[in-house]
Every structure is written in C-alpha cells, then in structure tokens.
Amino acid sequence: MTERTDSPMVPEQRPGDGHEATMLLERARAAVDPVLRAALGSLPAPMRRIALYHFGWENADGTPAQGGAGKAIRPALVLAAASAVGGPTARAAAVRAAAAVELVHNFTLLHDDVMDRDTTRRHRPTAWTVFGDADAILAGDALQALALRLLAEDPRPVARAASVRLADCVIELCAGQHADTDMERRAPGEVTLAETLAMAEAKTGALLGCACAIGALYAGAGDADVAALDAFGREAGLAFQLIDDVIGIWGDPRRTGKPAGADLAARKKSLPVVAALTSGTPAAAELAAAYATPHRKDDLEDLEHIALTVERAGGRDWAQTQAADRMARAMQEVARAVPDPEAAGGLLALAEFVTRRST
Amino acid sequence: MTERTDSPMVPEQRPGDGHEATMLLERARAAVDPVLRAALGSLPAPMRRIALYHFGWENADGTPAQGGAGKAIRPALVLAAASAVGGPTARAAAVRAAAAVELVHNFTLLHDDVMDRDTTRRHRPTAWTVFGDADAILAGDALQALALRLLAEDPRPVARAASVRLADCVIELCAGQHADTDMERRAPGEVTLAETLAMAEAKTGALLGCACAIGALYAGAGDADVAALDAFGREAGLAFQLIDDVIGIWGDPRRTGKPAGADLAARKKSLPVVAALTSGTPAAAELAAAYATPHRKDDLEDLEHIALTVERAGGRDWAQTQAADRMARAMQEVARAVPDPEAAGGLLALAEFVTRRST
C-alpha cells in the first residue's frame, strides 16, 4: 500500500471548504521548515544530498529545486493538537517535535520506496532510483536518528515521553510495512479484511495518531486526553488511507502524482480490493480470477475492467462508508479531549481536508 | 569493509593474556542480555523473530538457538568506561545504555549485510538471506528505534546527552557505510589511504568511541574526559579494524567465521590493500593489475598471490604498525581521563583483547 497524499501541489482553495486546513498546513510548513532545513543541513554531505533531494528541496545534481516537501499533514497535526489543548504557547513549544515527526515520516517513505520498488514520489523519481538502494537506506537511517536527536536535544521534560511514543510508533510502522509486504506475497483469497485494516492502521494511522498525541503531550494533556487524540489521529489516518486507496483506483493521476490504476496493475491488495474480494458476491469471484492473472503493460481495458469489478463487488461503497464512519469516530475522540468546538476546529479541519479531497 | 569480530566463539583464555577481558565480556553479556532480551521481547512478533534470529538466540524456525549474540565488546566498553570513571554505581546505572549501544550495533549489521550482500554473519546465514531484504531492513529500523527508546525511558537526566551522542553516532555510521560502498565502486587508483582511514573511523571507530563516551557520561565525567574516552574508543576501533582487515587477508577462517580471502576475492579496498596500492612500490602496480581482474571462483592461487603482493608492497607491516600506533594513542587518551592505572585496567584490557587476538 503506497501513500499518494504527499503531493507537492498546493491544495486548492474551494470556497468555504478546506480554507482553514490550507492555512494550517501553510503555517505548519512555515514553522517547521526552518527546523527541518537546519536538521538536514547538519548531516554529512552525502546523506544531506539524498535527504534534500527526497524532500524536494534539491535536484539530483544538488541545485535548488522548486518542488515542495509534501503537504506537512503530520507536523500540522502535531501543532493543531498542541494548539487545541494548550493554545499558542503549546503550539510554539511543539515545533521541534513536529519536525521530528516529519523526519520519521520521510525516513519511512525512503525505506518503503526501496522495499516496494516504487519509482515515483511527489511527482519525481524516488531516491533509490537516483542514488541506489544502499544510499536510500542509509539516508533513511540517518533521518530516523535525526528525528530522535531533535527530541533528545529538546530540554523540555515532556520530550522524553514524546521520544518514547515516537520510537514506539516507528516500531509499529515497521510492523505495518512488514504486514503489507507479507500480504502482497499471499494469494488474494488468503487475506482478510480485518488484517488489512490492522495493517493500514499500523502503517498509516499510527503516525497520525502519534503526531496528535505528541502535540497533546507538549500541551500538558493528561493520559486520557493524549489517548483520545491518539485515537482521533488513528481514525482519521484510516479514513485517509481508505480514501487514498479509492483515489488509487478511481482517482485523477494529475492530483495523485501516481499513474492511474497502478495499484490494480500491481495487483495490490488495497482496502477496497480486499473488501471486494471478501464480499461473497459473484463479482468477488470475478475479481479473484482477474487478480490471479498478472497485468500486461498498458492494458488499460484490464484496469478499467478490474476497477469496475471492485465497484460491482461493493469495494468502493464500502471504502467510502468506512471512511465516513472512521471520520465520525475521529470526531467523537476529539470532542472527548477538546470539548470546545472552536479549540478543536483546527484538528477537525485537517481531518476533513484529508478525506474531503477525494470526493 | 565487513567486520569479522562478532564471532560467537568464547574467546580463548591464554595464560596471563586476555583473561580480564574475557571476564569483562562475560560480565557485560550477563548484565546486558536480560535488558536486550526484554527489549526484543517487546517487539511485534514478526520483527521479534528476525531480531532474535539475528542475535543468534533463535533459529529461523523460531526454536531456541545455542549461538551467542557476539562478544559484546561495545556494551563491555560502555560498562568499563562507566566503571573506570565512576565505579560500580556508575556501571550499574549504564547497563540500559550499554544495551542501547548494542542494539544500534546490531541495527547497522542488519542493514550493512543487506547493502553488502554478505551472506554469513556469526557463522550463520545473514538475516536477509533467510527473511528477505525488506524484513531485514525493517528489523534494523525497529532495532534503531528500540535503542533510542531504551534511552528515552531512562529517567536519569544524563540519558538525554547519551541519546544525542548515540543519534549522532548513527549518522556518522551511515556516512561511514556510504563512504565504504562508494569507495568499493571506484577504481583502486582513485582511493586514498586518508579517506580509507576516515571511512574506517566513521564505520568502526565512531561506535566504539560513542560506547566509551556514553559510559563516561553515566559516570558524571566532564566534557574533556568524555572527549578523551571517545578518542580512546575511536583509536582502539581503528586498531580493531586494521587487525580485522589483516585477519580478513591472512587470518584463520575458523576463528573469523568468514571464508579465507573473501575480501581479496571481492577485491575489497581494505586498509592493508589501500596501503599497498598507494605504497609506490613495484608490488603496488602488480596489485593494481591483479585487482583490475575479477576473481574467478575457487582460484586459491589468485588469492594467495594477491595476499603475497599486498605483503610485498608493505600493506601487512603498515597495518600492524598502524594498529600498534593507534593502540598507543588510545592508551594516552585513557590515561588523560583515568589517570589511575588500576581504574583504567578494564578499558585497556578490552582494547588489548581486541587487537591481541590477531597475532
């Protein structure tokens, strides 16, 4: 399962729709980028070069690039959670931690792209295709170290608890990526929907939950509120992944930065596909048969046929209903930790932004 | 450059020679193993399985294994440095940090074996050959996180400074591994001895230095003493690598756990080889010519010829003189931080053990 949500494009502003989220993302980038640039600048030259390329700040030859470093959803969640619980002071205190979360995210992208042999990321060739597997692995290793170093350098006592959470999250992300590659190796009939959801939670939900939890920690939240904001991020993350998988099948590649139908071509067991495969419908059997035959390059009819079969088996509807359901649960969690709707507004706007972009 | 020093064999006891080091290594294993086992036990099942296999504690099928987890030189250095500066209390305080250093070491071994395509580690098939590249990469990622988590969970204020040092060390290790793979790609004539030494310092010296520095930190040492013990570890580490490279060419494979002459067969630019190549002797030109031709499998005459050519070009003598010189510098550094020879005895015994095993 690959994530298509790090498009470098500036999110479109639609009237009364996503404007607050756009502003929060831009403010998060503005706050976190200087910390990220300083951290990357401290790396030894070869690691720095790969990292700056991966972040979209340099071209492969080391010249400055115009691209962006993704939409900064995770740092924005750290800052929004800190702000929701503790206001502007907490938000300011959490900037370094927000950068650490973004470094962890990017470390996992570097490694996942190597493992998944993905060749495109944020509309550019992935780091391993440019610098080779070894250097992409090493740059990822260095980014993980840099993330935990940023937190270790933070003199605030809360940085310790944040470090433990972030390290735990890395371990969960690893387990999620393992489950993903393991499931991809198995036959379509051997994969359950429950384990696909668990994998998506570990692979995508965990870091969004961790981002919110760390923001809450920096605002001095108690255990129950930290847990509620973690759950909020996890639910929103699952909604995010569900929608991302829907886009991966039926979305517009100009918006996703990935070729249309790439997941289907690779016979990936994404959430809508597994929902369809396990639906018990006649279309499910048809889909299983289609997935048993490898895709022939540029056979667009094959991709259209499979997309339609997933839809006929209910995979698209299921994913969109699930996403809406996850979003509703996310709202409940946030209301538990931040009862004041105005204070919670930023978190809700970000969660809605992430899911609304699909429709 | 691969390290042959993690043989699971119990070091031989020679009369009056290495006995103290053997005891320190055994005591380090006894102190650190329970922390390591608990930490690995906390990993999600698939990551745990790969980690326990890599540590030699389980077979590939998950049954308990008889093998050992390496000789624990790095944890022993952490504990010896803590003990030398602060006595038994400091040593006890540093056990968790010693485990963290050992986790970092093993994370880099897992990743280096993937990158270097090494198939044997501690007399067993490497993790990637058993579980595949992706899982070996993920298990390594998880071990890095676990290392920094162990330190983050340590309530002692010194854990913060130790975390910063360990994270910095990971970044240096990555740069060292990058330099190694980069140098291996270049022609023999394009590699200088200075950069080979710098690479070996980053790849091997950095973590031994970090181990000693962290031990000193846990004993409450001041900046100058921490720096001196870092330098001690780095110099000892370079001596260690020099001797390791000598063993890699002229050593006994039953002691090294690697096939004889594997470095020469792979045309590796190890320290004695680069010293020979840059010696300006007639043998240097002969060696360059031999290295320009790939090794044919099982051509033992080729390996013997190259080993002799490296020796005739002075590579063996240079490496052994350098190792002795580095050891002398290491002694000076330790004397600076720990003037009492009795207190410094453990550190010296470990450094001598590491280099003496070659001769």
Side-chain angles (χ1 to χ4, degrees):
Chain A
M1 191 160 303
T2 50
E3 185 179 309
R4 263 157 296 270
T5 44
D6 272 300
S7 159
M9 289 170 293
V10 174
E12 295 161 36
Q13 286 188 19
R14 282 157 286 183
D17 172 10
H19 178 67
E20 185 180 359
T22 305
M23 193 196 65
L24 289 169
L25 292 168
E26 279 170 8
R27 283 188 61 207
R29 269 261 85 94
V32 168
D33 276 3
V35 181
L36 284 175
R37 285 189 182 263
L40 298 187
S42 76
L43 290 172
M47 299 294 104
R48 185 169 69 230
R49 195 173 152 207
I50 302 157
L52 287 171
Y53 173 82
H54 170 77
F55 271 83
W57 287 335
E58 278 187 9
N59 299 309
D61 62 4
T63 55
Q66 285 301 316
K71 279 198 305 302
I73 286 169
R74 291 158 194 80
L77 284 173
V78 174
L79 300 182
S83 197
V85 178
T89 314
R91 183 187 182 277
V95 167
R96 182 191 292 261
V101 168
E102 187 70 351
L103 286 171
V104 160
H105 176 52
N106 281 281
F107 129 61
T108 63
L109 295 181
L110 276 163
H111 283 193
D112 288 359
D113 285 343
V114 171
M115 293 175 224
D116 300 339
R117 309 319 282 165
D118 278 333
T119 54
T120 305
R121 163 80 54 200
R122 297 168 185 157
H123 303 264
R124 306 163 82 217
T126 45
W128 70 268
T129 67
V130 176
F131 300 99
D133 286 10
D135 279 352
I137 294 170
L138 291 168
D141 290 342
L143 292 190
Q144 184 188 172
L146 207 52
L148 288 157
R149 188 205 145 128
L150 266 187
L151 286 178
E153 283 176 331
D154 186 344
R156 296 174 185 84
V158 70
R160 257 189 64 210
S163 297
V164 172
R165 272 199 114 88
L166 194 57
D168 277 342
C169 181
V170 168
I171 292 165
E172 191 174 351
L173 292 167
C174 292
Q177 170 70 6
H178 165 84
D180 191 8
T181 52
D182 180 59
M183 281 165 43
E184 290 304 332
R185 266 191 234 112
R186 282 147 60 194
E190 289 170 10
V191 172
T192 70
L193 192 52
E195 67 180 329
T196 311
L197 280 164
M199 180 275 287
E201 181 174 343
K203 204 174 154 171
T204 305
L207 188 54
L208 298 197
C210 181
C212 296
I214 286 179
L217 281 172
Y218 271 81
D223 289 350
D225 289 347
V226 172
L229 285 175
D230 189 316
F232 159 77
R234 283 177 182 268
E235 296 291 354
L238 264 177
F240 185 33
Q241 189 59 62
L242 285 154
I243 295 303
D244 202 52
D245 284 355
V246 167
I247 293 175
I249 301 175
W250 297 280
D252 177 350
R254 281 172 302 171
R255 292 198 61 205
T256 63
K258 296 257 177 182
D263 281 3
L264 297 182
R267 306 303 194 229
K268 284 214 169 184
K269 300 182 192 79
S270 65
L271 287 159
V273 168
V274 176
L277 283 167
T278 56
S279 64
T281 60
E286 210 182 308
L287 177 60
Y291 251 50
T293 316
H295 174 69
R296 282 175 302 121
K297 199 172 176 303
D298 299 326
D299 183 353
L300 293 180
E301 215 170 300
D302 168 64
L303 301 182
E304 279 168 28
H305 169 72
I306 294 185
L308 193 63
T309 311
V310 175
E311 196 160 354
R312 280 169 39 229
R316 185 176 192 164
D317 283 349
W318 173 86
Q320 286 184 322
T321 308
Q322 269 283 321
D325 184 44
R326 298 291 175 170
M327 275 302 289
R329 290 195 222 175
M331 307 286 183
Q332 288 166 9
E333 296 289 354
V334 85
R336 192 175 307 187
V338 188
D340 173 6
E342 201 175 325
L347 285 169
L348 296 177
L350 287 170
E352 279 174 6
F353 170 79
V354 157
T355 46
R356 198 182 294 155
R357 57 191 273 282
S358 63
T359 52
Chain B
M1 190 160 304
T2 48
E3 185 178 308
R4 262 157 297 270
T5 44
D6 272 299
S7 158
M9 288 172 293
V10 174
E12 295 161 37
Q13 286 187 20
R14 282 157 286 182
D17 171 11
H19 178 66
E20 185 180 359
T22 305
M23 194 196 65
L24 288 169
L25 292 168
E26 279 170 8
R27 284 188 60 207
R29 271 261 84 93
V32 168
D33 276 2
V35 182
L36 284 175
R37 284 190 183 262
L40 298 187
S42 75
L43 290 173
M47 299 295 104
R48 186 169 68 231
R49 193 173 153 207
I50 301 157
L52 288 171
Y53 173 82
H54 170 77
F55 271 83
W57 288 334
E58 278 187 9
N59 299 309
D61 62 3
T63 55
Q66 286 301 317
K71 279 197 305 302
I73 286 170
R74 290 158 193 80
L77 284 173
V78 174
L79 300 181
S83 196
V85 178
T89 315
R91 183 186 182 278
V95 166
R96 182 191 292 261
V101 168
E102 186 69 352
L103 286 171
V104 160
H105 177 52
N106 282 281
F107 128 62
T108 64
L109 294 181
L110 277 163
H111 282 192
D112 288 359
D113 285 343
V114 171
M115 293 176 225
D116 300 339
R117 309 320 282 164
D118 279 332
T119 54
T120 305
R121 162 81 53 200
R122 296 167 186 157
H123 304 264
R124 306 163 83 216
T126 45
W128 70 267
T129 67
V130 176
F131 300 99
D133 286 11
D135 279 352
I137 294 170
L138 290 169
D141 289 343
L143 291 191
Q144 186 189 170
L146 207 51
L148 288 156
R149 189 205 144 128
L150 266 187
L151 286 178
E153 284 175 331
D154 186 344
R156 296 173 185 85
V158 70
R160 256 189 65 210
S163 297
V164 171
R165 271 200 113 89
L166 194 58
D168 278 342
C169 182
V170 168
I171 292 166
E172 191 174 351
L173 291 167
C174 292
Q177 170 70 6
H178 164 83
D180 192 8
T181 52
D182 180 60
M183 281 165 44
E184 291 304 332
R185 267 191 233 111
R186 282 147 61 194
E190 290 170 9
V191 172
T192 69
L193 192 52
E195 69 180 328
T196 311
L197 280 164
M199 179 275 287
E201 180 175 343
K203 203 173 154 171
T204 306
L207 188 54
L208 298 196
C210 180
C212 297
I214 286 179
L217 281 172
Y218 271 81
D223 288 351
D225 289 348
V226 172
L229 285 175
D230 189 316
F232 160 78
R234 283 177 182 268
E235 296 290 354
L238 264 177
F240 184 33
Q241 189 60 61
L242 285 154
I243 295 302
D244 201 52
D245 284 356
V246 167
I247 293 175
I249 300 175
W250 297 281
D252 177 351
R254 280 172 303 171
R255 295 198 58 204
T256 64
K258 296 258 177 180
D263 281 3
L264 297 182
R267 305 303 193 229
K268 284 215 171 184
K269 300 182 192 78
S270 65
L271 286 159
V273 168
V274 176
L277 283 168
T278 56
S279 63
T281 60
E286 210 181 309
L287 176 61
Y291 251 50
T293 316
H295 174 70
R296 281 174 305 123
K297 199 172 177 302
D298 299 326
D299 183 353
L300 293 179
E301 215 170 301
D302 169 65
L303 300 182
E304 279 168 27
H305 170 71
I306 294 185
L308 193 64
T309 311
V310 175
E311 196 159 355
R312 280 171 37 231
R316 185 175 191 165
D317 283 349
W318 173 85
Q320 286 184 320
T321 308
Q322 269 283 322
D325 184 44
R326 298 290 175 171
M327 275 302 289
R329 291 195 221 175
M331 305 289 182
Q332 287 166 10
E333 296 288 354
V334 84
R336 193 176 305 188
V338 189
D340 174 5
E342 202 176 324
L347 285 169
L348 296 176
L350 286 171
E352 279 174 7
F353 170 80
V354 156
T355 46
R356 198 182 296 154
R357 56 191 274 281
S358 63
T359 52

